[in-house]
Amino acid sequence: MKEKNSITPHTKVLCIIGNPIEHSMSPTMHNAAITNLRLDYIYLAFKIMPNNLNFAVKGIRAFNIIGINVTLPFKQKIMKYLDEIDPMAKKIGAINAIKNDEGYLTGKNTDADGGLNALRNEGFKIKGKNILLLGAGGAARALSIKMAENVNKIVIVNRTLKRAINLSQTIRKYFGINSEAKQLNKNILSEECKKADIIINTTPIGMYPNVDESPIPPECLHEDLIVYDIVYNPIETKLIIDANQKGCKTLGGLDMLVNQGAIAFEWWTNKKPNTSLMKSKIIEFLGINK
Ligand SMILES: NC(=O)c1ccc[n+]([C@@H]2O[C@H](COP(=O)([O-])OP(=O)(O)OC[C@H]3O[C@@H](n4cnc5c(N)ncnc54)[C@H](OP(=O)(O)O)[C@@H]3O)[C@@H](O)[C@H]2O)c1
């Protein structure tokens, strides 16, 4: 973050809006990147009451806030207030970043690219693979719709079957690939884990404080699997610990978090942030905030 006395009338404002917002890691990682690049920016967090979303968007224009992250519960609801939505975000049906060009607001979904880049950066290939996706919420939509361009098949397993059916229909409609929807239960998981190449958990099961929970019984896991858990708090979830013990290749959610932030940061500032620094600041933050 900029030193307090170095904030001037020229300082440009970036922010995140959501509710709740107190536990967001975005200010920590973005301000670290700003300081590191010696940019005249500051990144703040605003808790917005749901009834005030339209006023918040007016405020973004009025105060010329130039880059905005959007988190729960506004990722879908905010779209109608924007001037333009990037085509991939339209397919996903949600945005998590906005750029303000002199009052013209464009929305985009950097979760999708951030989540996929995290896999690719680890050398995991998705082309032609069979994906088992746990969850059918916002993150599941972002990842599966982005991945559908390349993979062989996506099986979506969700607590609420109807949401999984909707998502698999969208995938088939846009990309013509094979996609099935199934109810989340132990038998289905046991069956589907045998057929999958990559498992992606997008449910919050195992997230702090419920760190002893896992969405997949360990006996379903086997060493040919890549297991990707997008939960980042704790950094190593029970699912990742179990998968490592079974000899699977694994990836946690921290890289997705950093990558989605880095894509937005570069979009707003035209500068590449130091992602290793952003990651280490989050690890520090998670350590302190337990
Ligand atoms: N690493 C990253 O950068 C990143 C980015 C985005 C999200 N995330 C993480 O991903 C998780 C999901 O986020 P989201 O935005 O997709 O949330 P969301 O839109 O609320 O979706 C949550 C999904 O998880 C399922 N679910 C919730 N609680 C469950 C439970 N107790 N048992 C079984 N299924 C359950 C929901 O099923 P129903 O349809 O039945 O409700 C839904 O499919 C969160 O933990 C979030 O922190 C990480």
Side-chain angles (χ1 to χ4, degrees), residues 72 75-76 111 134-141 157-161 163-164 184 201-205 207 213 228-232 252-258 260:
L72 296 175
K75 288 181 175 189
Q76 285 108 33
D111 278 338
L134 309 188
R141 285 191 71 86
V157 177
N158 196 42
R159 183 177 59 180
T160 310
L161 181 59
R163 279 182 101 185
L184 178 64
N201 175 45
T202 71
T203 76
I205 301 172
M207 190 167 84
E213 294 176 7
Y228 183 15
D229 191 348
I230 71 159
V231 172
Y232 52 79
L254 190 54
D255 290 323
M256 172 171 171
L257 179 70
V258 171
Q260 63 76 25

Side-chain angles (χ1 to χ4, degrees), residues 22-84:
E22 290 80 359
H23 300 292
S24 171
M25 270 159 262
S26 295
T28 303
M29 69 173 170
H30 284 284
N31 283 316
I34 288 167
T35 306
N36 181 249
L37 287 164
R38 297 174 182 278
L39 300 179
D40 194 8
Y41 283 79
I42 187 164
Y43 188 107
L44 303 169
F46 296 117
K47 182 173 173 175
I48 307 293
M49 291 302 152
N51 296 348
N52 285 338
L53 184 61
N54 58 339
F55 299 117
V57 178
K58 284 183 179 159
I60 286 166
R61 290 193 170 94
F63 291 113
N64 196 30
I65 296 175
I66 65 133
I68 303 95
N69 277 128
V70 181
T71 188
L72 296 175
F74 302 128
K75 288 181 175 189
Q76 285 108 33
K77 287 179 203 136
I78 202 165
M79 292 171 81
K80 65 172 182 269
Y81 300 113
L82 307 184
D83 301 301
E84 190 178 325

Side-chain angles (χ1 to χ4, degrees), residues 116-129:
L116 237 66
N117 288 354
L119 267 177
R120 290 200 181 107
N121 292 347
E122 286 300 304
F124 298 138
K125 304 215 170 9
I126 61 162
K127 197 167 174 52
K129 300 290 187 201

Side-chain angles (χ1 to χ4, degrees), residues 59-239:
I60 286 166
R61 290 193 170 94
F63 291 113
N64 196 30
I65 296 175
I66 65 133
I68 303 95
N69 277 128
V70 181
T71 188
L72 296 175
F74 302 128
K75 288 181 175 189
Q76 285 108 33
K77 287 179 203 136
I78 202 165
M79 292 171 81
K80 65 172 182 269
Y81 300 113
L82 307 184
D83 301 301
E84 190 178 325
I85 306 287
D86 154 274
M88 181 53 73
K90 251 188 215 158
K91 284 183 188 166
I92 293 167
I95 63 114
N96 71 320
I98 301 170
K99 186 174 179 178
N100 178 2
D101 286 310
E102 294 176 4
Y104 187 85
L105 304 185
T106 306
K108 134 170 170 169
N109 192 308
T110 69
D111 278 338
D113 282 322
L116 237 66
N117 288 354
L119 267 177
R120 290 200 181 107
N121 292 347
E122 286 300 304
F124 298 138
K125 304 215 170 9
I126 61 162
K127 197 167 174 52
K129 300 290 187 201
N130 297 315
I131 310 293
L132 173 57
L133 184 71
L134 309 188
R141 285 191 71 86
L143 287 172
S144 58
I145 288 175
K146 182 73 194 175
M147 281 202 298
E149 289 169 345
N150 286 301
V151 299
N152 178 53
K153 179 175 178 182
I154 304 180
V155 175
I156 302 157
V157 177
N158 196 42
R159 183 177 59 180
T160 310
L161 181 59
K162 195 166 178 288
R163 279 182 101 185
I165 291 172
N166 285 345
L167 180 53
S168 86
Q169 279 170 347
T170 305
I171 288 169
R172 288 200 299 268
K173 175 177 141 199
Y174 281 127
F175 304 100
I177 67 154
N178 196 350
S179 178
E180 287 174 20
K182 305 211 166 171
Q183 180 75 52
L184 178 64
N185 65 46
K186 200 178 163 193
N187 288 341
I188 293 287
L189 285 175
S190 167
E191 231 172 75
E192 292 303 327
C193 281
K194 288 181 198 143
K195 301 183 216 157
D197 300 306
I198 303 176
I199 296 179
I200 306 178
N201 175 45
T202 71
T203 76
I205 301 172
M207 190 167 84
Y208 181 83
N210 304 314
V211 297
D212 295 329
E213 294 176 7
S214 167
I216 304 183
E219 58 273 21
C220 296
L221 300 168
H222 57 84
E223 64 180 2
D224 298 330
L225 286 167
I226 293 171
V227 177
Y228 183 15
D229 191 348
I230 71 159
V231 172
Y232 52 79
N233 186 10
I235 289 162
E236 261 206 339
T237 58
K238 179 165 188 312
L239 172 60

